[in-house]
Structures are given as structure tokens and as C-alpha cells.
Amino acid sequence: MKKITFTHTTKQGHPRRMSTSLRPIASAVLACLAGGTMAQGLDSAEAADTHTVIVTGAGQTSSVMNSPATIETVTAKELSDTTNVMNVEDALKYFPSILVRKRYNGDTNEPVTSRTTGVNASARTLIFADGVLLSTLVNNNNGNGSPQWFMVSPEEIDSIDVMYGPFSAAYAGNSYGAVVQINTRMPKQFEATAKLNLSTQSFDLYNTSKSFKSGELNATIGNRQGAFSWFLSANHQDSFSQPITFGTVTQSTKAATAALPVINGATSDYNRTGGALQVISAGNLNHTVQDTAKVKLAYDFSPQTHLSYALGFWQNSANSQASTYLNSANGAPYYGAASGNVNIGGYSYSASTIAGQFSSNNTQQEHWMQSLELDSKNNGAWDWNAVVSNVRYATDLTRSSTGLYPTVMTSGAGRIADASGTGWTTVDARATYRPDGNQTSHVITFGIHGDQFKLVSPTYNTTDWLNGDKGTLYTNSLGKTQTSAIWLQDEWRINPSLLATVGGRYEQWKALDGYNYAIASSGTGFPVNQPTVTHHGFSPKATLAWKANDLWQISSSVGRALRFPTVGELYQNVQTGTTYTQANPYLKPEDVTSAEFAFERKTRESRVRVSLFGELVSDALISQTSTITGYATPVSFTQNIDKTRQRGIEIVTEKDNAFIQGLQLTGSLTFVDAVILANSSYVPTIAGATSVGKHTPYVPDWRATLVATYRPDAKWAYTLAGRYSGRQFATVDNTDTNPGTYQGFQSFFVADARVNYHYNRQWTIAAGIDNLNNEKYYLFHPFPQRTAYAEVKYTY
């Protein structure tokens, strides 16, 4: 069994909670506690036998393909003992430097952050489930570029591996943040499971004070009969979210006249740049009902050759509404009006501006996933593997209201966004050659790759947003990207203690069939057929790993990565006030040079890893404010930023039987110095502002975790965990100086707890609490407050 190394990529806190001065202390305490206890036992002369973290060379046990880089792993058993898992992405909660931006159970917009990438950069991480790409590389954001996590149910998990950095030639440049591989299980004999998972969140912020509940039911069944094995899983989830957005209006400076109607209920606050505002509503109160079903089939032609097929289906029915904080003098709820002004706190506000803060939307989605894999492992001169996968949006409709509340809740005009037809196909084939069988000093691996990503995203006007047909076209962005690649990697055993891995990847990329449509303020529609664009490049990789003795390993890695633009980045419509300006199909690929220098010391019961890492990115694709020819006011859109630099240190520690038998402590501490070095296209948002020398957006400076799990016997496991994340910025000029508010990005410290009881072989019962200390914090959106979990599982 491999051990997990726990670290935290965390979110950020709220100024009304833990004192700002205590957060760095909390981080230091986490690190010191972990480091101090894990130092015990490091003098043992025994070689580590289970703590596989830096995986190099042939014979690796990790499923991350051909990786000479740092890898962390967690198993299903460890997750059951330590982690409150409602959705599969919860399993990444305690990985070093990893954060999934999960806002509520059932959230479908959940990108992953890594050491050097943030929550708005979904295309800088690759996520796979049994070789099927779950990363939605049709965009690079925290919306329609978020991964298809829901295609995997938690009860399928066998283990999860995370690889850090673009040091394997087997993966595209999108791996420069990380590669996440979810490995699911196939049965060895007849098996069946049923699991019920419940949660309730107590949320109290502004004028919302309420509990929000979620429930999930999962069942699996499978068997192996000779050479044939099969596995079925089904998952049903019903969940309610806390407010995800808040309606706000800028603080008025115009005094109200006596004749204006008085409106009560607003709360004074400040936006993320320090401007005064009034909070008037809670928005995006989501109710989601989701179902996942999957079948996996496998056949063994021989003990060495296997064929497998998987088919998955996911559906989501969701609705989102707003709730007003405002009321009129007679106590009736107030939602604004089409015209006129009102008196809030003695100042005059436009009723139509208030009305614009209220909207609803309904979503209906049906996504399909399938894959076919042929694999041969002969333990001789040749191994080979081929896999084809496809993800397709059969239905993806979002209906949004545009009329006045509360009438629009039952009828009225709106828009229909239709992403049906979006999807991607990937093809990979690889082979491994050992000239002298398993005794060789060289292991040569090579392969080919092909993919196509297609984005379909028209939006239509409709006279009835709830049930009406599509009307006139409002906007449209279409396009495809295609990549073909060939790669080769040689693992050279120079001597018994020294292993070099050298490789490279050559890629050809094309963007084609780009199309945009937008309506100008005059009402005239403008269709644009975008040109075909191509890029190509070579990405060399190299790693040298030295096994100094039975306890120590030292490795050094360097690699180049080319991250080509996604369809959404290329063909997005840019809004300039009431006008849409056509997209820029000439964005350049991100050109990344990464390096890592890692030390690891392992004994039978302890482990310490220290990784020094650095990254230079040329032409980084980041949204920033700039000017567009012919329009006077600067607007925000994705651009190439000349150069950014990220460098830092990651410390991971682990100790079994710390202080007492059965107590396991794991912890991590990450520091990143992320800076914009050059940005020739920047336009100041305020007088005197600059982006050069400022912190790269969305990358926290500090992160830390500590997880303590006590197993007094084989039945019980008690876990207490802490997660910390430091300050981050959302703007290239770091002008968002007030993070403790809606749309701000805060530091935060969160404690979690879990108790897991294996009653017998069939029954397992667990209970836990996430955010035990009830930290109230924002990562743009307000994140979950104290949430209690209860689960019961039956295994046949």
C-alpha cells in the first residue's frame, strides 16, 4: 500500500473570523507540529517499504504513465478513514498544494489549482479516470472549462495519483500544473455495495441564516467470471447550496428626496477594491438533482492482454433563484422596478439597477462518456497500450430570466444558452521497449496522441424563459482545436543508484471552424468566420534521480511545456459596454519552463520530502483589463501576458505511530513567490497602477495542512485535520485590496473532523464535520460554512 502525503491548497478567510495575525501562526503551527513529530524515527536504518512518492523508472506502482516526477497517492481505504467524501473531487482535499474550488455539493464548476496555477486556469491541469480525459479543455476558466468530475462516483475509486509538473513526455503541456489520475476498481469476485451519505450546512451571512442539506445514494455491483469481468455503478444526489452570489449596488452619493419610497433591509459593505456598496440580495441559491450511471466491461485474452470498455451517463436538473433582502415600508418584499428611484438609507437609488440584481435560471444536462482500451503487459521486451475516449454533451441547456422579479419567476422573457454538441475525442497509443527484457539498463517508451475539442455555445432570445422555444440568435461562439503529437522517453539506469530520464514531445496544433456572432448596441448582428490558426513545437524533458542510500533519494527535473489556447479563449466574444467586439484567434500558446529539485528521506514509519520548484511562463494567458481599438473604455478579456515567474518550496512530512501506537500524522507546507515580470499590454485600471512586479493572480503565497488519524484498532479511525491558505489576488495589478467580501479572495484556516467505524465486514458507519471552526471566507463566492456529514455503507 502507498501512503498519501497530505498538503493543503486552501481557500481564504473572512475578516470577521480568525484574526489576520493568527493565520500565519496557524500555518506555522501546522508545519511545525507535522515536521517535529515526523522527524521521529528518521534515524532508523530500515529502508522505507510502503511510502512511494517520488516514482522513477520502470516498475513504478503508480498509474500515472511514464512519470519521472513527484507523485502523491491516496487509496480508497485511506479516504474512508480520513476524508468526508460526498463527491469524487473531495478525495483531493488533503493533497499537497492542490485545491478543488468546490462551492457546494453538486457544484459543476470545480477547477483544480496546483502549486503555481489558480482557480481560473482549468486547462493547466490534466484529469483522467482510467485513461479517459475528464478535463474540459474547451475553455480555461472556472465555468464551462471545469472538469467532468461527476463522471466518477466515489464508490468506484481504488486510488488517486497526482503528478506535479510537466516532466513526463507522455503528457501534453496542460500538465504543467499537475496530472490527476483517478483509478477505479474492477471486481475479482462477486461484490455489491450500497451507501447513503447525508450532509447539512449551517450558513449565516448578511441576511441569510439557514441550513442547506444534501443527500446521496450510491450502489455498485460487479463480478468476475473467468476471463470476463463487469462492474456497474449508479449514483443519485439531491443537494441545496448556500447563496453563491450576492446582489449589490454601488453606494449612492445622491441624497433621497422626501417623496421617494423608503426601502429597508440593505446592508452596507465594501467591494474588493474598497468601494462602498449596499448588499441587497442573495443569488444563485441552487437546487441540483444529479444521476450518474456507468458500466465497465473487461476481457482477458491472456494473462498479459486485456480489453476494456466503459460507458458513463450523467444528468443534471438544476434551478437557481434569488432572494431579496429588501422590503418596502409595509413589509412587502421589494425587487426593484422598471423605472423610478427609491430611498435606501437616505440616498437615492435607481429601481431598475436594483431590479437587475435578480434573476433565475434552470439547467438541463445529459453528458455521455465512453472509452475502449487494449493493454498488453508481457514483462518482457515489449509492452503496449492503446485507448480511445469520447465525451459528448447530448443535452446542455441553460434557461435564464431577463425580466422583472417576482413576475419572471412564473413567466417572462429570457435567454437560452445551448452547449449541446460540445465534446472531445482523444486517441493514445504507446509502447515500451526493453532491449534486454527486465534486466536492461534502458527502458524506451514512445507513443502518439491525437485529440479534437469542439465548443458549441449559441445563446438565443426567448419570450418564455421557462418553457418557450428558441427565438432570435443573441450571441454565438463556435470552434474546434486539434492536436497531434509524438513523444519518446528513455529511462537510463546509469548505475544501480543513478537513473536518468530523457525525453521529448513534438506537437502540432490547429484551431479551425471558428465562428462568432454578436449584436451591437444598434441591434445589428455581426457574424464573423475566424481564420484557421496553427502552431507547433518541441518540448524536451529531463530528470536525474540519485538513490544515495537506503534512506535518501535526490532528484532534479527540468522540462518545457507548450499549453495551446482552448476554443473558449480563442473565440470568446468580448463585451464592451453594450457592444460585443469579436474574439482574438491569434493568441499565442503559453511557453513554460519548469524545474524541480527534490530531497526525500524515508524509513519504515516516516517520510520527509522537500521540493524546490520554479517556473517561467512566456505569453501567459490571463484575463486582464486593456483597451480595444475604437472603444474608449478599457475592458477585461484573455490576453497574452509577456512573462510570469513562479518559484517556491513544498515540504511534505509523514509519521506513523507518532507518540503512540496507531497515530498517523501527515502534513505539508508550501510557499510560492509568484510575480509578473513583463506585461506590455497592460492598461492601468486606476491612476498609477502597474502590473509588473505584482503577484500573479489566483496563486496563494502560503498553504499548509496537518492531518492526524488515530486507529486504536482495525475497527475505528478518528481524524482531525487542518487546512490553511494564504492571500491571493484576482487582478494583475493587485488592486483588489479588500479580500473579505463578495468577489474577494481571502486567506483562511479550516478544521475538519471524521470518525469512521467498521462494524464488521459488511457495515461501515461514519460521521464528520468540515469547517469545524465555522470559518466564513470568500474565494470570489462565499464558501461553505460548518457542514456535518453522516454516512452508512453496506458491502456484500
Side-chain angles (χ1 to χ4, degrees):
M1 179 190 298
K2 293 176 285 181
K3 297 277 188 173
I4 184 174
T5 307
F6 291 101
T7 306
H8 271 199
T9 306
T10 337
K11 312 157 210 174
Q12 299 173 304
H14 194 286
R16 301 184 183 95
R17 277 75 54 199
M18 179 186 290
S19 166
T20 303
S21 63
L22 293 180
R23 293 195 179 100
I25 296 174
S27 175
V29 169
L30 287 173
C32 291
L33 284 174
T37 56
M38 293 172 197
Q40 298 181 15
L42 287 180
D43 293 332
S44 169
E46 298 174 293
D49 58 350
T50 60
H51 303 275
T52 303
V53 177
I54 298 178
V55 182
T56 57
Q60 64 187 46
T61 57
S62 169
S63 68
V64 181
M65 183 172 53
N66 307 101
S67 174
T70 298
I71 296 175
E72 298 286 347
T73 299
V74 64
T75 67
K77 174 63 169 63
E78 291 161 340
L79 288 172
S80 176
D81 283 351
T82 64
T83 309
N84 299 316
V85 176
M86 176 73 80
N87 306 117
V88 68
E89 58 271 22
D90 295 327
L92 298 175
K93 195 178 300 180
Y94 304 120
F95 270 88
S97 305
I98 297 293
L99 167 71
V100 179
R101 190 205 70 158
K102 180 181 177 180
R103 302 168 299 174
Y104 59 93
N105 292 324
D107 192 2
T108 58
N109 295 328
E110 303 172 285
V112 181
T113 74
S114 66
R115 290 168 174 171
T116 60
T117 66
V119 295
N120 70 329
S122 57
R124 294 172 180 165
T125 299
L126 291 175
I127 301 163
F128 297 90
D130 300 324
V132 178
L133 181 67
L134 301 185
S135 294
T136 305
L137 301 182
V138 297
N139 218 329
N140 180 43
N141 59 19
N142 50 30
N144 69 340
S146 295
Q148 308 283 295
W149 296 109
F150 33 78
M151 282 298 184
V152 182
S153 67
E155 290 307 297
E156 291 183 77
I157 298 173
D158 182 65
S159 64
I160 297 178
D161 302 305
V162 175
M163 180 191 82
Y164 298 83
F167 305 121
S168 171
Y171 295 98
N174 306 81
S175 65
Y176 84 79
V179 175
V180 178
Q181 178 66 267
I182 303 170
N183 311 299
T184 67
R185 72 180 193 276
M186 288 295 287
K188 297 179 180 179
Q189 58 187 14
F190 180 79
E191 65 167 63
T193 69
K195 181 178 178 182
L196 176 65
N197 202 335
L198 303 173
S199 74
T200 180
Q201 176 194 172
S202 298
F203 187 86
D204 186 7
L205 191 60
Y206 294 121
N207 294 333
T208 300
S209 182
K210 188 178 178 181
S211 293
F212 298 95
K213 297 177 172 60
S214 300
E216 183 183 64
L217 181 62
N218 181 266
T220 70
I221 186 170
N223 196 8
R224 183 179 180 91
Q225 298 161 303
F228 178 68
S229 58
W230 57 273
F231 186 85
L232 300 174
S233 66
N235 195 78
H236 175 77
Q237 180 174 280
D238 192 328
S239 63
F240 295 84
S241 80
Q242 78 278 11
I244 301 303
T245 61
F246 291 104
T248 64
V249 293
T250 302
Q251 173 65 51
S252 173
T253 57
K254 181 180 179 181
T257 64
L260 293 180
V262 176
I263 301 298
N264 301 308
T267 300
S268 298
D269 207 337
Y270 297 91
N271 63 24
R272 68 185 188 183
T273 59
L277 51 77
Q278 296 288 329
V279 182
I280 63 172
S281 67
N284 278 3
L285 291 152
N286 296 282
H287 177 210
T288 66
V289 178
Q290 300 181 17
D291 295 285
T292 302
K294 186 184 291 185
V295 57
K296 295 184 292 183
L297 309 174
Y299 186 79
D300 298 340
F301 293 103
S302 70
Q304 294 79 33
T305 305
H306 318 276
L307 178 68
S308 60
Y309 173 76
L311 175 66
F313 170 77
W314 171 79
Q315 79 83 27
N316 176 38
S317 297
N319 65 77
S320 172
Q321 296 187 356
S323 175
T324 185
Y325 294 155
L326 303 179
N327 54 79
S328 60
N330 63 6
Y334 182 75
Y335 299 93
S339 61
N341 294 285
V342 296
N343 179 346
I344 298 178
Y347 292 91
S348 176
Y349 290 85
S350 166
S352 63
T353 299
I354 293 171
Q357 298 299 311
F358 295 92
S359 66
S360 294
N361 65 75
N362 293 338
T363 299
Q364 185 63 49
Q365 297 171 294
E366 294 180 359
H367 294 187
W368 290 87
M369 176 199 77
Q370 58 181 328
S371 67
L372 182 67
E373 181 176 16
L374 186 60
D375 185 70
S376 179
K377 295 181 179 178
N378 299 297
N379 295 318
W382 287 94
D383 288 338
W384 51 268
N385 172 274
V387 58
V388 179
S389 71
N390 174 262
V391 174
R392 180 173 63 90
Y393 297 8
T395 301
D396 201 302
L397 293 174
T398 300
R399 295 172 170 268
S400 303
S401 67
T402 57
L404 296 176
Y405 253 56
T407 303
V408 78
M409 298 175 72
T410 56
S411 65
R415 295 195 177 98
I416 302 173
D418 188 358
S420 306
T422 296
W424 56 92
T425 299
T426 65
V427 179
D428 285 278
R430 66 181 177 95
T432 300
Y433 175 58
R434 305 175 186 90
D436 300 317
N438 285 328
Q439 307 303 314
T440 185
S441 60
H442 287 272
V443 178
I444 301 170
T445 309
F446 55 93
I448 59 173
H449 166 85
D451 64 51
Q452 181 182 89
F453 294 88
K454 178 182 179 181
L455 175 65
V456 180
S457 60
T459 299
Y460 301 90
N461 295 306
T462 181
T463 56
D464 179 3
W465 75 276
L466 285 167
N467 302 298
D469 294 331
K470 298 172 185 176
T472 58
L473 184 64
Y474 179 64
T475 65
N476 198 1
S477 297
L478 306 173
K480 298 175 183 176
T481 60
Q482 296 175 349
T483 307
S484 57
I486 184 169
W487 59 272
L488 182 145
Q489 193 161 271
D490 181 18
E491 297 175 348
W492 176 23
R493 178 68 64 180
I494 300 173
N495 60 47
S497 62
L498 195 61
L499 177 68
T501 305
V502 180
R505 184 181 184 92
Y506 178 77
E507 296 166 295
Q508 290 185 326
W509 172 90
K510 178 190 292 187
L512 67 160
D513 296 342
Y515 173 81
N516 288 103
Y517 178 85
I519 298 176
S521 56
S522 64
T524 303
F526 291 93
V528 175
N529 291 302
Q530 302 288 6
T532 297
V533 180
T534 61
H535 290 286
H536 62 89
F538 178 71
S539 302
K541 324 276 185 177
T543 295
L544 185 65
W546 177 41
K547 186 73 173 177
N549 53 43
D550 288 341
L551 299 179
W552 283 94
Q553 177 168 294
I554 301 172
S555 65
S556 178
S557 300
V558 64
R560 184 195 187 201
L562 292 172
R563 207 280 287 177
F564 298 102
T566 61
V567 186
E569 289 171 306
L570 293 167
Y571 303 131
Q572 62 180 346
N573 282 318
V574 180
Q575 186 172 5
T576 54
T578 58
T579 301
Y580 282 91
T581 300
Q582 300 302 339
N584 175 15
Y586 297 107
L587 292 173
K588 292 179 286 187
E590 295 181 323
D591 193 339
V592 185
T593 301
S594 294
E596 180 184 27
F597 194 55
F599 305 82
E600 186 180 36
R601 192 175 195 268
K602 297 183 292 184
T603 72
R604 188 175 297 277
E605 292 190 343
S606 64
R607 176 169 72 97
V608 175
R609 173 173 62 81
V610 178
S611 293
L612 304 173
F613 57 88
E615 172 186 278
L616 281 174
V617 183
S618 298
D619 298 315
L621 288 164
I622 298 176
S623 178
Q624 70 168 334
T625 300
S626 188
T627 56
I628 293 176
T629 302
Y631 191 77
T633 304
V635 295
S636 294
F637 58 99
T638 299
Q639 301 167 63
N640 285 116
I641 290 180
D642 299 328
K643 194 173 291 293
T644 70
R645 183 205 65 210
Q646 289 69 237
R647 59 188 180 189
I649 182 171
E650 180 181 82
I651 303 172
V652 177
T653 54
E654 179 179 306
K655 180 70 173 74
D656 293 339
N657 300 316
F659 303 117
I660 59 174
Q661 186 73 23
L663 177 62
Q664 181 188 48
L665 295 177
T666 59
S668 66
L669 181 67
T670 305
F671 172 74
V672 182
D673 176 28
V675 178
I676 296 173
L677 298 181
N679 186 11
S680 58
S681 58
Y682 171 75
V683 173
T685 56
I686 60 175
T690 182
S691 63
V692 174
K694 297 303 178 71
H695 200 85
T696 307
Y698 303 106
V699 180
D701 50 2
W702 289 96
R703 306 170 197 180
T705 61
L706 177 64
V707 180
T709 300
Y710 177 53
R711 301 178 178 89
D713 52 41
K715 291 181 176 291
W716 290 94
Y718 305 87
T719 296
L720 183 63
R723 297 174 277 151
Y724 173 80
S725 178
R727 179 73 166 97
Q728 59 183 288
F729 293 90
T731 57
V732 294
D733 51 17
N734 297 177
T735 53
D736 48 325
T737 55
N738 181 40
T741 189
Y742 172 53
Q743 299 187 7
F745 286 78
Q746 293 178 270
S747 62
F748 68 90
F749 173 79
V750 172
D752 305 324
R754 180 174 173 86
V755 177
N756 195 55
Y757 177 52
H758 296 276
Y759 176 71
N760 55 29
R761 194 187 71 82
Q762 287 80 29
W763 290 97
T764 302
I765 302 169
I769 299 176
D770 279 355
N771 198 355
L772 182 65
N773 54 316
N774 202 31
E775 178 85 324
K776 299 179 180 180
Y777 62 99
Y778 295 94
L779 294 180
F780 193 95
H781 307 278
F783 267 63
Q785 297 177 20
R786 185 182 294 121
T787 305
Y789 292 86
E791 64 184 60
V792 58
K793 178 180 176 181
Y794 177 78
T795 302
Y796 178 81

